[in-house]
Amino acid sequence: MAAEGCVVVIGGRGIGQEIARHYANAGDEVVITCRGQERAEEIAATIGGSTRGLELDLSQPESIRDALSSVGHVRYLVLGAIERDENRIRTYSIPDAMRLVTLKLVGYSEVVHVLLDRLSDDSAIVIFGGLAKDRPYDGSTTVSTVNGGVVGLVRTLVGELAPMRVNAIHPGVVEDSPYWSGKNLDKFRSRTPTGRMTEMADVVDAVRFLLQNKAVNGIDLRVDGGWMTT
Ligand SMILES: NC(=O)c1ccc[n+]([C@@H]2O[C@H](COP(=O)([O-])OP(=O)(O)OC[C@H]3O[C@@H](n4cnc5c(N)ncnc54)[C@H](OP(=O)(O)O)[C@@H]3O)[C@@H](O)[C@H]2O)c1
Protein backbone atom coordinates (compact mmCIF):
# COMPACT_ATOMS: atom_id res chain seq x y z
CA MET A 1 0.00 0.00 0.00
CA ALA A 2 1.55 3.32 -1.07
CA ALA A 3 2.14 5.89 1.67
CA GLU A 4 0.66 9.38 1.63
CA GLY A 5 2.12 12.01 -0.70
CA CYS A 6 3.57 11.81 -4.18
CA VAL A 7 7.03 11.09 -5.50
CA VAL A 8 8.39 13.95 -7.62
CA VAL A 9 11.23 13.21 -10.04
CA ILE A 10 12.75 16.29 -11.65
CA GLY A 11 14.30 14.99 -14.86
CA GLY A 12 11.95 12.24 -15.94
CA ARG A 13 14.08 10.56 -18.59
CA GLY A 14 17.22 8.44 -18.23
CA ILE A 15 17.85 7.34 -14.66
CA GLY A 16 14.95 9.50 -13.46
CA GLN A 17 12.57 7.46 -15.57
CA GLU A 18 13.70 4.25 -13.86
CA ILE A 19 13.27 5.82 -10.41
CA ALA A 20 9.78 6.97 -11.38
CA ARG A 21 8.96 3.49 -12.72
CA HIS A 22 10.06 1.89 -9.45
CA TYR A 23 7.67 4.02 -7.41
CA ALA A 24 4.84 3.81 -9.95
CA ASN A 25 5.12 0.01 -9.84
CA ALA A 26 4.92 0.22 -6.04
CA GLY A 27 1.56 1.99 -6.38
CA ASP A 28 2.73 5.52 -5.60
CA GLU A 29 1.46 8.68 -7.21
CA VAL A 30 4.41 9.91 -9.27
CA VAL A 31 5.11 13.26 -10.95
CA ILE A 32 7.87 13.47 -13.54
CA THR A 33 9.11 16.55 -15.36
CA CYS A 34 10.53 17.25 -18.82
CA ARG A 35 11.11 20.50 -20.66
CA GLY A 36 8.06 19.94 -22.91
CA GLN A 37 4.53 19.10 -21.79
CA GLU A 38 3.96 16.67 -24.65
CA ARG A 39 7.16 14.76 -23.91
CA ALA A 40 6.40 14.75 -20.20
CA GLU A 41 3.01 13.19 -20.88
CA GLU A 42 4.53 10.61 -23.25
CA ILE A 43 7.14 9.57 -20.70
CA ALA A 44 4.51 9.45 -17.94
CA ALA A 45 2.38 7.16 -20.12
CA THR A 46 5.28 4.77 -20.70
CA ILE A 47 5.93 4.63 -16.95
CA GLY A 48 2.27 3.90 -16.25
CA GLY A 49 0.51 3.58 -12.89
CA SER A 50 -0.49 6.91 -11.36
CA THR A 51 2.21 8.89 -13.14
CA ARG A 52 1.68 12.31 -14.62
CA GLY A 53 4.08 14.54 -16.51
CA LEU A 54 4.70 18.26 -16.05
CA GLU A 55 6.64 20.73 -18.14
CA LEU A 56 9.48 22.34 -16.20
CA ASP A 57 12.66 24.11 -17.27
CA LEU A 58 15.25 24.44 -14.52
CA SER A 59 17.26 26.92 -16.58
CA GLN A 60 14.37 29.37 -16.09
CA PRO A 61 14.17 29.32 -12.28
CA GLU A 62 11.53 32.05 -12.13
CA SER A 63 9.11 29.73 -13.95
CA ILE A 64 9.46 26.82 -11.51
CA ARG A 65 6.80 27.97 -9.02
CA ASP A 66 4.06 28.00 -11.65
CA ALA A 67 5.30 24.76 -13.24
CA LEU A 68 4.89 22.92 -9.92
CA SER A 69 1.68 24.62 -8.81
CA SER A 70 -0.46 21.51 -9.34
CA VAL A 71 1.76 19.27 -7.17
CA GLY A 72 0.26 18.22 -3.83
CA HIS A 73 1.98 16.86 -0.73
CA VAL A 74 5.44 15.52 -1.60
CA ARG A 75 6.76 12.47 0.22
CA TYR A 76 9.91 11.99 -1.84
CA LEU A 77 11.67 14.51 -4.07
CA VAL A 78 14.40 13.44 -6.50
CA LEU A 79 16.44 16.15 -8.24
CA GLY A 80 18.22 14.53 -11.17
CA ALA A 81 17.91 16.68 -14.30
CA ILE A 82 21.02 17.71 -16.18
CA GLU A 83 22.00 19.28 -19.47
CA ARG A 84 25.73 18.60 -19.65
CA ASP A 85 27.95 21.22 -21.20
CA GLU A 86 31.43 20.52 -22.55
CA ASN A 87 33.59 23.20 -21.08
CA ARG A 88 37.28 23.76 -20.53
CA ILE A 89 38.91 26.62 -18.67
CA ARG A 90 41.19 27.50 -21.64
CA THR A 91 38.22 27.90 -24.00
CA TYR A 92 35.66 28.78 -21.33
CA SER A 93 32.10 29.34 -22.55
CA ILE A 94 30.23 31.59 -20.12
CA PRO A 95 26.75 30.91 -21.62
CA ASP A 96 27.22 27.13 -21.41
CA ALA A 97 28.52 27.34 -17.86
CA MET A 98 25.74 29.74 -16.78
CA ARG A 99 23.11 27.38 -18.14
CA LEU A 100 24.37 24.33 -16.26
CA VAL A 101 25.13 26.20 -13.03
CA THR A 102 21.68 27.75 -13.17
CA LEU A 103 19.82 24.54 -13.80
CA LYS A 104 21.68 22.26 -11.44
CA LEU A 105 22.34 24.59 -8.51
CA VAL A 106 19.88 27.50 -8.67
CA GLY A 107 17.14 25.42 -10.34
CA TYR A 108 17.44 22.52 -7.89
CA SER A 109 17.40 24.97 -4.95
CA GLU A 110 14.35 26.78 -6.31
CA VAL A 111 12.45 23.50 -6.70
CA VAL A 112 13.00 22.81 -2.99
CA HIS A 113 12.10 26.40 -2.15
CA VAL A 114 8.77 26.40 -4.00
CA LEU A 115 7.80 22.94 -2.70
CA LEU A 116 8.48 23.79 0.95
CA ASP A 117 4.79 24.15 1.74
CA ARG A 118 4.20 20.68 0.31
CA LEU A 119 7.15 18.93 1.94
CA SER A 120 6.84 17.80 5.55
CA ASP A 121 9.15 16.60 8.31
CA ASP A 122 8.72 13.01 7.06
CA SER A 123 9.59 13.87 3.47
CA ALA A 124 13.00 13.05 2.02
CA ILE A 125 15.07 14.56 -0.78
CA VAL A 126 17.77 12.99 -2.96
CA ILE A 127 19.99 15.18 -5.10
CA PHE A 128 22.09 13.82 -7.96
CA GLY A 129 25.72 14.81 -8.16
CA GLY A 130 28.32 12.67 -9.88
CA LEU A 131 31.91 11.57 -9.53
CA ALA A 132 33.20 14.15 -12.01
CA LYS A 133 33.42 16.22 -8.80
CA ASP A 134 36.38 14.06 -7.70
CA ARG A 135 37.62 12.71 -10.99
CA PRO A 136 37.25 15.31 -13.73
CA TYR A 137 37.35 14.29 -17.40
CA ASP A 138 38.20 16.33 -20.47
CA GLY A 139 35.42 18.90 -20.90
CA SER A 140 33.94 18.44 -17.41
CA THR A 141 34.88 21.85 -16.00
CA THR A 142 31.28 22.89 -15.29
CA VAL A 143 30.01 19.36 -14.59
CA SER A 144 32.77 18.89 -11.98
CA THR A 145 31.94 22.28 -10.50
CA VAL A 146 28.19 21.73 -10.14
CA ASN A 147 28.58 18.18 -8.86
CA GLY A 148 30.90 19.55 -6.20
CA GLY A 149 28.25 22.19 -5.49
CA VAL A 150 25.73 19.45 -4.75
CA VAL A 151 27.82 18.44 -1.72
CA GLY A 152 27.46 21.94 -0.26
CA LEU A 153 23.78 22.15 -1.16
CA VAL A 154 23.03 18.94 0.72
CA ARG A 155 24.95 20.14 3.78
CA THR A 156 23.02 23.37 4.04
CA LEU A 157 19.63 21.78 3.34
CA VAL A 158 20.13 19.18 6.08
CA GLY A 159 20.51 22.01 8.58
CA GLU A 160 17.91 24.35 7.14
CA LEU A 161 15.19 21.73 6.63
CA ALA A 162 15.74 19.55 9.72
CA PRO A 163 14.25 17.13 10.62
CA MET A 164 13.61 16.46 6.93
CA ARG A 165 16.32 14.21 5.44
CA VAL A 166 18.43 15.26 2.46
CA ASN A 167 21.05 13.08 0.78
CA ALA A 168 23.15 13.08 -2.37
CA ILE A 169 23.98 10.26 -4.74
CA HIS A 170 27.13 10.31 -6.83
CA PRO A 171 27.05 7.51 -9.40
CA GLY A 172 30.03 6.43 -11.46
CA VAL A 173 29.47 5.92 -15.17
CA VAL A 174 26.07 4.22 -15.45
CA GLU A 175 26.60 1.73 -18.25
CA ASP A 176 23.02 1.27 -19.42
CA SER A 177 21.93 4.90 -19.05
CA PRO A 178 20.96 6.54 -22.35
CA TYR A 179 23.76 9.11 -22.09
CA TRP A 180 26.47 6.44 -22.39
CA SER A 181 24.69 4.36 -25.01
CA GLY A 182 27.10 3.27 -27.76
CA LYS A 183 30.18 4.73 -26.04
CA ASN A 184 33.24 2.64 -25.29
CA LEU A 185 33.48 2.24 -21.52
CA ASP A 186 36.43 -0.17 -21.36
CA LYS A 187 38.69 2.34 -19.63
CA PHE A 188 36.13 2.75 -16.84
CA ARG A 189 35.41 -0.98 -16.54
CA SER A 190 39.08 -1.93 -16.34
CA ARG A 191 39.51 0.49 -13.42
CA THR A 192 36.46 -0.78 -11.51
CA PRO A 193 37.40 -3.32 -8.82
CA THR A 194 34.17 -5.30 -9.23
CA GLY A 195 34.81 -5.55 -12.99
CA ARG A 196 31.18 -4.59 -13.39
CA MET A 197 29.93 -1.16 -14.30
CA THR A 198 27.13 0.56 -12.36
CA GLU A 199 23.69 -0.03 -13.87
CA MET A 200 20.52 2.03 -13.62
CA ALA A 201 18.94 -0.61 -11.36
CA ASP A 202 21.83 -0.13 -8.89
CA VAL A 203 21.18 3.61 -8.85
CA VAL A 204 17.43 3.14 -8.37
CA ASP A 205 18.13 0.81 -5.45
CA ALA A 206 20.52 3.33 -3.89
CA VAL A 207 18.03 6.19 -4.31
CA ARG A 208 15.32 4.07 -2.72
CA PHE A 209 17.66 3.44 0.24
CA LEU A 210 18.50 7.13 0.63
CA LEU A 211 14.85 8.14 0.46
CA GLN A 212 13.46 5.46 2.72
CA ASN A 213 16.05 4.68 5.40
CA LYS A 214 15.07 6.98 8.24
CA ALA A 215 18.57 7.13 9.77
CA VAL A 216 20.36 8.16 6.58
CA ASN A 217 20.83 11.91 6.38
CA GLY A 218 23.48 14.22 4.89
CA ILE A 219 25.19 11.40 3.02
CA ASP A 220 27.16 11.71 -0.23
CA LEU A 221 26.74 8.17 -1.48
CA ARG A 222 29.18 6.91 -4.08
CA VAL A 223 27.70 4.19 -6.31
CA ASP A 224 30.56 3.13 -8.55
CA GLY A 225 31.69 -0.46 -7.89
CA GLY A 226 34.72 0.96 -6.09
CA TRP A 227 35.97 2.92 -9.13
CA MET A 228 37.04 5.84 -6.95
CA THR A 229 39.33 3.62 -4.87
CA THR A 230 41.65 2.89 -7.79
N1 LIG B 1 24.31 8.69 -16.60
C1 LIG B 1 25.40 8.60 -15.83
O1 LIG B 1 26.31 7.77 -16.06
C2 LIG B 1 25.57 9.51 -14.63
C3 LIG B 1 26.75 9.43 -13.89
C4 LIG B 1 26.90 10.27 -12.80
C5 LIG B 1 25.91 11.16 -12.45
N2 LIG B 1 24.78 11.22 -13.20
C6 LIG B 1 23.73 12.16 -12.81
O2 LIG B 1 22.50 11.49 -12.78
C7 LIG B 1 21.46 12.41 -13.15
C8 LIG B 1 20.64 11.78 -14.26
O3 LIG B 1 21.51 11.53 -15.36
P1 LIG B 1 20.99 10.86 -16.70
O4 LIG B 1 22.21 10.38 -17.44
O5 LIG B 1 19.92 9.90 -16.38
O6 LIG B 1 20.41 12.12 -17.46
P2 LIG B 1 19.84 12.22 -18.95
O7 LIG B 1 19.49 10.87 -19.51
O8 LIG B 1 20.81 13.07 -19.72
O9 LIG B 1 18.47 12.98 -18.70
C9 LIG B 1 18.52 14.30 -18.33
C10 LIG B 1 17.19 14.71 -17.78
O10 LIG B 1 17.29 16.09 -17.42
C11 LIG B 1 16.22 16.80 -18.03
N3 LIG B 1 16.64 18.15 -18.33
C12 LIG B 1 17.64 18.56 -19.15
N4 LIG B 1 17.71 19.90 -19.17
C13 LIG B 1 16.73 20.35 -18.34
C14 LIG B 1 16.28 21.64 -17.93
N5 LIG B 1 16.87 22.75 -18.39
N6 LIG B 1 15.25 21.73 -17.09
C15 LIG B 1 14.64 20.61 -16.63
N7 LIG B 1 15.00 19.36 -16.96
C16 LIG B 1 16.03 19.24 -17.82
C17 LIG B 1 15.88 16.00 -19.26
O11 LIG B 1 14.57 16.27 -19.61
P3 LIG B 1 14.11 16.59 -21.13
O12 LIG B 1 15.30 16.53 -22.02
O13 LIG B 1 13.11 15.53 -21.41
O14 LIG B 1 13.52 17.96 -21.03
C18 LIG B 1 16.06 14.57 -18.77
O15 LIG B 1 14.92 14.14 -18.09
C19 LIG B 1 22.16 13.71 -13.57
O16 LIG B 1 22.07 14.65 -12.53
C20 LIG B 1 23.59 13.30 -13.80
O17 LIG B 1 24.50 14.35 -13.53
C21 LIG B 1 24.58 10.43 -14.29
Side-chain angles (χ1 to χ4, degrees):
M1 178 70 174
E4 197 197 330
C6 65
V7 179
V8 176
V9 181
I10 304 296
R13 291 191 298 134
I15 298 167
Q17 188 166 344
E18 297 311 305
I19 296 165
R21 197 186 313 280
H22 168 82
Y23 282 103
N25 287 344
D28 284 289
E29 183 193 339
V30 176
V31 176
I32 59 110
T33 70
C34 292
R35 278 165 297 177
Q37 183 60 36
E38 208 173 315
R39 180 156 57 192
E41 285 172 15
E42 278 169 22
I43 302 285
T46 68
I47 294 168
S50 298
T51 306
R52 69 191 175 98
L54 293 180
E55 177 174 5
L56 178 139
D57 186 348
L58 291 170
S59 71
Q60 308 292 327
E62 293 81 3
S63 69
I64 291 173
R65 180 174 295 281
D66 283 350
L68 295 176
S69 61
S70 68
V71 173
H73 177 238
V74 179
R75 186 160 56 105
Y76 297 141
L77 171 62
V78 178
L79 295 160
I82 189 162
E83 189 183 331
R84 298 165 179 88
D85 72 345
E86 201 179 307
N87 226 329
R88 297 169 183 82
I89 212 68
R90 292 184 195 287
T91 54
Y92 198 55
S93 162
I94 293 174
D96 290 352
M98 293 286 278
R99 189 169 175 84
L100 179 51
V101 169
T102 301
L103 90 86
K104 198 147 186 175
L105 296 181
V106 182
Y108 279 18
S109 302
E110 177 63 1
V111 169
V112 176
H113 170 70
V114 306
L115 288 178
L116 278 181
D117 59 351
R118 285 155 279 172
L119 291 157
S120 59
D121 290 354
D122 286 341
S123 302
I125 302 173
V126 165
I127 303 180
F128 270 80
L131 292 177
K133 76 179 171 61
D134 301 306
R135 193 168 272 172
Y137 55 85
D138 180 39
S140 77
T141 302
T142 323
V143 175
S144 295
T145 302
V146 296
N147 285 345
V150 164
V151 175
L153 180 57
V154 165
R155 292 291 175 282
T156 191
L157 291 183
V158 165
E160 290 187 68
L161 302 182
M164 198 188 305
R165 294 179 304 102
V166 186
N167 291 288
I169 184 164
H170 300 278
V173 168
V174 182
E175 181 173 35
D176 57 347
S177 64
Y179 179 72
W180 292 102
S181 174
K183 294 176 184 145
N184 186 337
L185 302 179
D186 289 351
K187 71 175 180 198
F188 298 106
R189 186 176 290 100
S190 62
R191 225 178 144 176
T192 303
T194 56
R196 172 191 175 278
M197 302 286 295
T198 303
E199 297 179 1
M200 290 201 284
D202 305 318
V203 179
V204 173
D205 187 50
V207 168
R208 185 199 52 72
F209 162 72
L210 293 173
L211 288 172
Q212 294 181 213
N213 188 302
K214 292 194 186 309
V216 174
N217 194 21
I219 293 290
D220 284 294
L221 184 64
R222 197 159 45 76
V223 181
D224 67 346
W227 180 62
M228 275 303 298
T229 64
T230 60

